[in-house]
Amino acid sequence: KVLFALICDPELAAAPQRAIAAAAGVALGAVPPVLADLQQQGYLLVAGRNRRLNATRRLLDDWALAYARTLRPKTLLGTYFTPNFDTWAKWKLNPKQARWGGEPAANRLAGYLKPGALTIYADRLPPKLMVEQRLTLAGLLAKLVEIRKPFWGDTLRQEGRADTVPPALVYADLLATGDGRCIETAQMIYDGHLARLFPAA
């Protein structure tokens, strides 16, 4: 969570630890060990009281892998079926309550990839959305809507669209699928939104 906040806002690395904790949505005590670990791995450059994120693609990919293995499984709140799956682009999400992630976010950011699953990050399923799109709890079906819990703080700064999660999370969601077309689109998200901040070594 701490590293995600730093990836979304690299300038946060120089901020007080309390500000980092608020952006990451974690307790203040969780920040120092993460910063120490990042420094040991060479991802955080420290000179006196100054800190700077050594932002490389390797750092981004290491976080995406760790997210897929540890944090992502804990974010799933539920999977739903909707007869309106193919009309998802017309759904009206309130960005204060819910944002697109994964494949639909990639479609919005890159103008590419027809979603095979709809990922929405929200603290809970918005009741209005549930009624309008006739969402019902689903089993193992294709074309599912998955609701995932946001894991970052309210003060996290993000670039890009208001209706999607940060591009780094879209990138990680796509890689986590293991699907070839999603991995191809993840590269497009990297090229278009992340490469200037996280250059390949």
Side-chain angles (χ1 to χ4, degrees):
K1 292 181 181 181
V2 172
L3 182 52
F4 177 66
L6 296 175
I7 283 173
C8 290
D9 183 6
E11 292 178 9
L12 194 60
Q17 292 187 11
R18 191 172 300 279
I20 297 173
V26 300
L28 181 57
V31 175
V34 175
L35 296 183
D37 188 48
L38 290 173
Q39 184 180 354
Q40 186 178 9
Q41 294 181 56
Y43 289 140
L44 189 68
L45 307 176
V46 180
R49 292 191 168 191
N50 297 320
R51 295 188 301 263
R52 182 171 65 83
L53 192 66
N54 184 16
T56 64
R57 183 165 188 176
R58 185 174 166 215
L59 171 68
L60 180 67
D61 286 342
D62 283 354
W63 176 79
L65 180 62
Y67 169 70
R69 286 180 175 168
T70 58
L71 186 55
R72 192 172 194 267
K74 298 174 186 174
T75 64
L76 186 64
L77 295 176
T79 53
Y80 297 83
F81 169 78
T82 172
N84 303 332
F85 186 94
D86 293 327
T87 68
W88 72 270
K90 296 178 182 175
W91 296 9
K92 290 178 173 58
L93 297 188
N94 178 347
K96 293 180 179 177
Q97 294 181 328
R99 292 182 186 177
W100 294 113
E103 296 174 41
N107 179 282
R108 293 272 163 101
L109 291 174
Y112 185 75
L113 186 67
K114 183 178 179 183
L118 301 179
T119 302
I120 298 172
Y121 280 84
D123 283 314
R124 63 189 180 95
L125 178 61
K128 185 177 179 186
L129 183 71
M130 189 165 191
V131 171
E132 286 178 351
Q133 306 311 331
R134 297 168 28 212
L135 296 175
T136 55
L137 282 169
L140 296 172
L141 299 166
K143 295 192 172 183
L144 294 179
V145 179
E146 56 179 24
I147 307 299
R148 293 188 174 275
K149 188 171 180 61
F151 54 87
W152 51 90
D154 294 335
T155 62
L156 182 68
R157 194 166 62 92
Q158 88 165 72
E159 292 183 13
R161 299 178 58 113
D163 62 346
T164 69
V165 296
L169 182 52
V170 178
Y171 176 78
D173 273 341
L174 293 173
L175 291 180
T177 66
D179 181 279
R181 68 199 176 88
C182 289
I183 292 170
E184 178 187 357
T185 309
Q187 180 64 44
M188 296 172 70
I189 298 294
Y190 172 78
D191 292 340
H193 298 272
L194 299 165
R196 63 185 175 81
L197 293 173
F198 299 92

